[in-house]
Amino acid sequence: MTSTLAYSLPEPNVWLFRLSFWGIIAMLTAGGIGIYRASKNQFALYRDTKDVFLSMPVTLLNWFSLAVLLWIGRQDADLLSSMKAEAAQAATVWLGTFAIAVVQARKCNPGVTTRQIIYAGCGRLLLGTMSQLGALLVLAGCLFAFFGNSHGQRSRFGFGSYTSDLSVKLFLISLAASLFQMIWSIVYETDREEVNEKRGWVYGAVNVLLFCLACWGGNLLCEQYELASTDALLRAAERKKPATVRHIIAFNPELSRTEAILAATDNGHRKTLRTLIRTRSDLATARQRAEENGNQQLMTFLK
């Protein structure tokens, strides 16, 4: 919704952004240590092939919830009051999936210290995330090769003519496939019992399927929050209900606010204007309307 940088975010959402950001950094660090130690046979990340497949939905929910927390943390501070429930739900999902990963790691490594179990749990999550991203890269490369433009013009995916050559496309696909194969080799080399090497591409296909299902479910969920229209925002501004305006904006960040800003400027309701104005363009619109109305007090407020 806004392009505000993290260091200039107002309170109280700075803590949420920082917590999400450092949570990701901590997960990457601990996960990297876990993968390294597992490769040295200090402990195992997985038990067997079944355990590998059972870890996929846990991993997907883990990094999805972190991404949602990071997105919420970047919103304007006053909008956070309308998104507390969603932030709490995302944090609960993240903590829950982390706890599940640690429990799964404990089952694979009885008698191992708590620190090593945490490293193993983070290693499972990081390696699973890398596997899912690698599988998606292979799919994206295949789609690009199939739908790419072969006439030297910009393709529909935004790439230039240098990627129109078939050999370049095949190289990109093979590079993504090799990356996924390398990740899968780490998966089956860090197990406790036995992981079937030949299930790698089945694992990748199921990862892509899970990602598509998650996107579909997320889209259905988002539609529940996108019922508001420009008219609903305008009515809320005319009725001088800043809390309703804030809620609509929070879950409809791309909704046009121009008409609502004009209406709030006409009725001179400062709280509603403070809620509606998000960008310099919004501020310029309100100032221009106040000048047209000759409202000196409102013009002073907008300065």
Side-chain angles (χ1 to χ4, degrees):
M1 183 174 56
T2 61
S3 58
T4 311
L5 295 175
Y7 60 78
S8 61
L9 287 172
E11 295 291 351
N13 58 327
V14 163
W15 65 269
L16 181 59
F17 182 90
R18 288 177 177 172
L19 185 63
S20 305
F21 176 79
W22 288 112
I24 293 174
I25 297 299
M27 183 67 68
L28 291 174
T29 304
I33 295 173
I35 294 173
Y36 174 76
R37 292 190 175 183
S39 66
K40 299 298 182 180
N41 297 320
Q42 296 183 14
F43 48 76
L45 297 184
Y46 301 98
R47 183 180 182 88
D48 50 24
T49 306
K50 180 181 179 181
D51 186 37
V52 172
F53 279 84
L54 286 176
S55 69
M56 290 189 297
V58 177
T59 301
L60 186 67
L61 289 174
N62 181 268
W63 67 267
F64 257 40
S65 58
L66 265 180
V68 171
L69 276 175
L70 199 64
W71 180 79
I72 292 177
R74 291 193 72 253
Q75 308 312 306
D76 289 343
D78 61 326
L79 297 184
L80 192 60
S81 61
S82 299
M83 309 178 80
K84 286 181 179 178
E86 285 69 25
Q89 291 168 5
T92 302
V93 171
W94 182 78
L95 291 174
T97 52
F98 176 75
I100 292 173
V102 170
V103 170
Q104 290 174 332
R106 170 71 72 180
K107 290 182 177 180
C108 299
N109 303 277
V112 179
T113 64
T114 302
R115 178 180 293 184
Q116 289 180 320
I117 289 301
I118 292 176
Y119 284 147
C122 293
R124 286 172 65 101
L125 293 173
L126 178 59
L127 194 55
T129 302
M130 291 169 60
S131 301
Q132 291 172 358
L133 295 179
L136 292 173
L137 280 176
V138 175
L139 176 64
C142 293
L143 291 175
F144 171 67
F146 184 76
F147 293 106
N149 193 337
S150 60
H151 301 290
Q153 300 175 356
R154 182 175 293 275
S155 69
R156 69 184 67 186
F157 292 99
F159 296 93
S161 60
Y162 66 93
T163 57
S164 63
D165 190 5
L166 180 61
S167 62
V168 176
K169 295 177 182 178
L170 293 177
F171 171 75
L172 293 175
I173 295 175
S174 64
L175 185 63
S178 300
L179 176 63
F180 177 77
Q181 187 64 31
M182 181 189 69
I183 296 171
W184 173 249
S185 66
I186 299 175
V187 170
Y188 71 73
E189 288 174 359
T190 54
D191 65 304
R192 181 166 174 255
E193 295 180 358
E194 183 179 358
V195 172
N196 192 338
E197 295 183 30
K198 298 180 180 179
R199 296 290 181 89
W201 294 111
V202 177
Y203 177 68
V206 175
N207 267 320
V208 172
L209 179 61
L210 275 178
F211 179 79
C212 294
L213 289 175
C215 290
W216 176 71
N219 183 63
L220 291 179
L221 185 63
C222 288
E223 286 179 355
Q224 298 180 10
Y225 295 107
E226 293 177 355
L227 299 176
S229 62
T230 306
D231 293 336
L233 183 61
L234 177 60
R235 287 194 299 270
E238 290 174 342
R239 294 173 183 175
K240 302 178 180 180
K241 295 183 176 180
T244 304
V245 170
R246 188 181 301 111
H247 182 82
I248 293 175
I249 293 176
F251 295 104
N252 300 269
E254 304 301 328
L255 199 64
S256 174
R257 299 183 295 274
T258 303
E259 294 183 7
I261 290 174
L262 295 178
T265 306
D266 289 340
N267 58 40
H269 198 251
R270 299 184 180 184
K271 291 184 178 180
T272 304
L273 268 178
R274 186 181 291 112
T275 303
L276 282 167
I277 295 175
R278 300 286 159 184
T279 64
R280 292 182 179 180
S281 177
D282 294 341
L283 182 60
T285 301
R287 284 179 175 175
Q288 182 177 358
R289 188 69 165 195
E291 290 178 0
E292 293 175 356
N293 295 339
N295 192 333
Q296 296 296 330
Q297 293 182 350
L298 193 58
M299 289 174 60
T300 302
F301 166 75
L302 292 173
K303 289 182 180 178

